[in-house]
Amino acid sequence: MKVSQNWLKSLVEINTTPNDLSEKLSIGGFEVESLINCSENVKGIVLGKVISVNKLENSDKLFICNVDIGSTNNLQIICGAKNVKENIYVYVATVGANLTSINLTIKRSEIRGVMSEGMLCSLVELGIEETSEGIAIINDKLASKHKLGTPGAVLLDLNDYVYDLAITANRPDGMSVVGIAREISALLETKLTLPELKNIYKVNVYKNFNLCSDAITKKCIYSISRIDLVNGRELSPQWIKDRLDKSGIKSINLLVDITNYILLEQGQPLHAFDKDKLTNLIGREVLPGDFSVRKAKSNEKLLCLNGENYNLNEKITIVACDDRPVAIAGVIGGLETAVNENTSSIYLEGAVFNPVSIRKSSKEIGIRTESSSRYEKGISSKNTLDSVIRAINILEEYFNISNPVINTSIESVSKEELIPLRRERIHKILGPLVIRNENHEKNSQIEKKNLSDVEITDKLKLIGCKLNEKEYGWEVEVIANRSQDLRREIDLIEEIARLIGYDMFDLNLPNPIKPGKLSSTQIALRNLKSGFIDTGFTEVLSYSLVPESNNDLIKISNPLLIETSCLRNNIWQEHIKICNQNIKSGNDYCWIFEVGNIFHKKPDLSQEEIINGAIYGKNKFDKWSENIKDENLNYYEARGKLREALTKLNFKIEDKPTESIEFLHPGRASILFTEGCEVGYFGEIHPKLIAEKKALKKMYLFSLKTNNILNACTRKNKWIPVYRQFPTVPKMERDINFIFNKKYLVNEIISIIKKSGKKLLEDVYLIDVYEDNNFGKDFISYTFRLAYRDYEKTLLDSDIADLHENIVLIIENKFSTKLR
């Protein structure tokens, strides 16, 4: 929001510089995004008087002007304006002035042999108006109040600063000049002078308004007031134009400008309907009861003030007259009933709508206005009738209005509940103030004391609160424009700290401080991430919102964009896109992983955390010492990288081949198991994805269920290290070799051997794999090394002979094979 310092000065005493005030406002919660010096564009422009005008020889359009600017010598200025003449007051750009609107710096120059020492300016050249016919001639009455040579900024009322404020959603009071003035009064502890209501008008409570309960709730209000004997041709006085212009609103006419002025001053949007146009629309005299607020119908249209003809629907709230749409409630008015130069009577609407309904309407038609932005943040209905009265007060200064009646849905809003504020609670939350006293020996003494009752009450009174003293502290009544953000005791305590300054309080840490610590699950997750990073992977973060592609996705009820309308049910698609982007950028490899959530629609809506990743190419750190033409990893190398990344966690994963995952290569994919439970998958992408250009090159995808992995590795028998003595006796090793059908998995064979080996069998290793055409295409040779050990003695061949023969016999029977 933009607000003029001169406007603020009419409401509050400002005893500091603009830069210092900007800093105080920013620290106080109203960030000043920019501070604009209005006089910057008119530096070097002064008040001058044209003494004489003579034609320049050999020229029909140029004149030599003798101009007095209050200095010792008059200036000689060449001017080509048709309206230049003697004894007029003008704006003179002196040598060195920079006219930014036309990008011109004034210099002494010679024109047809005659020296020109400045420039007589139009309002266009000063950047004030868009069009003009000749130089600007200053009114004699205005000029006579100032000496010649007075800076132009004074005459143009540009000796001012404009604060461009960023207003947060929790401070709707900042959307009004009165709210900013009250904030400045509290920060600077200076006098606040708010506009007074001069005349109070009759208020008629009209209970027969047809008001939509979604748009006008119990805390809302709707009012309509008929005002006759106005004139749409009447232009606004300069002070209103100036304040609107500096706030970024264009002046139209007095009727429209007053509604915009109240919007800026009070933060209350108002709208004026042309009564005669309403009468023509419905075919009879309009009455206050003809106005209603309802949801639009799907076949309705409305031509609005911005020239757009909007197709309405049930999500849009409208204001209707005799059930005909005349405005989109709280957003924009209709063009057909708008005020123009022929307007002689108006209906003035003042209302507070439900922020949710305004937000929906604004989103549906795709525009956000000054009015809708205030309604969306939430404004108090306590201020509505006073704002309407304030608008009529200003209208009375320029029109002969007679006894207007304000028709309202409710006369007064119920009082806000009093908020109990405990003295002990303030001291406990904020702690003591730290006061540093400097003595003559340049040693500072630190004094600590709790806030006094006077300091507490003074700060709350500065923001307009009323306090009733109680034994425990106070009961606080908050003013209307702060009722949205000051609702609880803790809100008031925070406000006290904000106004005093957070840095003024002592450290107030809990005593004793209990240090926090990570759980075993959190530590395991960190170890898991660092394992991937140490192996050469890069952690990525992708959006959990995706476009709608199938019925399995969970749709969002209020998406901002079509591209982000659903919750994702996988991460691998995004990872393929990341790999493709790296390939297009010329990268030789892309190893990525992500810990994120996916969302399932069936059987019930659920959320699941997984570790997903993709592997493409060979890591450059693995290639520097090798001379390998093949830039891709094979299946076993890629699977080995995943195994390497998981070595920091103490658990085992078993692979079982699968052809059931449609986006993975059949025969080069496996489902991963731990502790007998499925925990994910690993595999090469399906060739069809490459053929369809969804993936640019061969890559590997993997996914692990985080909860299953973390639960498996944090069990006590795996998480807590168990230390054992080194064996003092040697082990005895025996190798066995069989030809197996390829349908049998190595893990399955090793598991059978271990179960058959009893206590003496310490471990089993696969040490050789051999294929030969003589075996047949469905058979393969595996060689296993069996390690035997008895921790009590050194084993002899006779100790393991029977056990070893039994293991061989079991394998032969179980897998229909023979020992080679």
Side-chain angles (χ1 to χ4, degrees), residues 532-789:
F532 276 101
I533 293 169
D534 293 345
T535 307
F537 285 81
T538 300
E539 185 173 9
V540 298
L541 180 65
S542 58
Y543 290 114
S544 58
L545 299 177
V546 295
E548 183 179 358
S549 57
N550 55 62
N551 293 327
D552 293 334
L553 298 177
I554 300 172
K555 295 181 182 179
I556 297 173
S557 59
N558 59 339
L560 293 176
L561 300 169
I562 296 175
E563 292 79 9
T564 57
S565 59
C566 297
L567 293 170
R568 67 186 177 190
N569 63 356
N570 71 75
I571 303 180
W572 63 266
Q573 289 179 329
E574 286 299 316
H575 285 188
I576 289 180
K577 291 178 182 178
I578 294 172
C579 287
N580 287 343
Q581 189 174 354
N582 277 268
I583 293 169
K584 290 178 181 178
S585 300
N587 292 337
D588 296 329
Y589 79 100
C590 181
W591 297 4
I592 56 175
F593 79 98
E594 176 178 356
V595 179
N597 292 316
I598 58 174
F599 306 87
H600 303 293
K601 188 175 182 179
K602 297 177 181 179
D604 296 316
L605 298 180
S606 61
Q607 174 178 309
E608 181 182 23
E609 186 179 55
I610 63 172
I611 302 166
N612 216 94
I615 302 173
Y616 152 71
K618 289 191 176 181
N619 190 312
K620 61 183 178 181
F621 299 111
D622 288 344
K623 295 194 308 180
W624 74 273
S625 62
E626 300 177 14
N627 185 16
I628 301 175
K629 292 182 179 180
D630 188 5
E631 297 290 335
N632 293 318
L633 298 174
N634 62 38
Y635 178 88
Y636 298 103
E637 289 174 324
R639 179 63 182 88
K641 292 300 177 183
L642 177 60
R643 181 177 179 276
E644 184 181 347
L646 299 176
T647 52
K648 283 201 172 186
L649 301 181
N650 183 22
F651 74 104
K652 291 184 179 180
I653 286 184
E654 295 181 0
D655 295 45
K656 290 188 178 180
T658 182
E659 297 182 1
S660 62
I661 303 176
E662 60 180 8
F663 55 87
L664 294 182
H665 193 302
R668 296 183 190 172
S670 59
I671 296 176
L672 308 180
F673 290 83
T674 186
E675 297 182 338
C677 298
E678 182 182 335
V679 295
Y681 61 79
F682 177 88
E684 181 183 324
I685 62 167
H686 201 289
K688 71 179 181 181
L689 295 179
I690 300 176
E692 294 170 358
K693 302 297 183 183
K694 292 181 180 178
L696 299 181
K697 289 190 178 181
K698 181 175 76 173
M699 57 189 73
Y700 301 91
L701 303 175
F702 62 85
S703 180
L704 300 169
K705 297 178 181 180
T706 308
N707 286 341
N708 297 49
I709 295 294
L710 298 181
N711 289 339
C713 68
T714 54
R715 301 193 194 284
K716 285 186 177 180
N717 61 332
K718 294 182 179 179
W719 185 249
I720 301 173
V722 177
Y723 298 96
R724 296 177 182 173
Q725 289 185 347
F726 283 105
T728 58
V729 294
K731 63 182 176 182
M732 183 178 290
E733 293 181 338
R734 294 288 184 270
D735 293 346
I736 55 176
N737 177 267
F738 294 90
I739 298 175
F740 294 93
N741 192 304
K742 288 182 180 179
K743 69 180 181 180
Y744 298 119
L745 301 178
V746 171
N747 285 338
E748 184 180 352
I749 298 169
I750 291 176
S751 178
I752 295 296
I753 295 173
K754 286 184 176 180
K755 288 180 181 178
S756 307
K758 301 181 181 179
K759 291 183 179 181
L760 292 181
L761 182 62
E762 186 179 67
D763 211 342
V764 181
Y765 310 94
L766 175 67
I767 61 172
D768 185 61
V769 178
Y770 178 68
E771 290 186 85
D772 193 306
N773 292 332
N774 295 326
F775 300 157
K777 66 177 182 178
D778 294 330
F779 292 89
I780 191 169
S781 171
Y782 294 138
T783 301
F784 297 97
R785 178 160 292 165
L786 283 62
Y788 298 95
R789 193 195 308 266

Side-chain angles (χ1 to χ4, degrees), residues 46 291 430 437 476 519 550 608 629 663:
V46 298
F291 288 89
L430 300 182
N437 297 320
V476 182
S519 65
N550 55 62
E608 181 182 23
K629 292 182 179 180
F663 55 87

Side-chain angles (χ1 to χ4, degrees), residues 38-57:
C38 297
S39 65
E40 192 69 32
N41 293 335
V42 292
K43 281 185 177 180
I45 309 298
V46 298
L47 171 63
K49 183 178 182 181
V50 180
I51 304 301
S52 63
V53 178
N54 297 303
K55 277 195 174 184
L56 181 64
E57 291 184 12

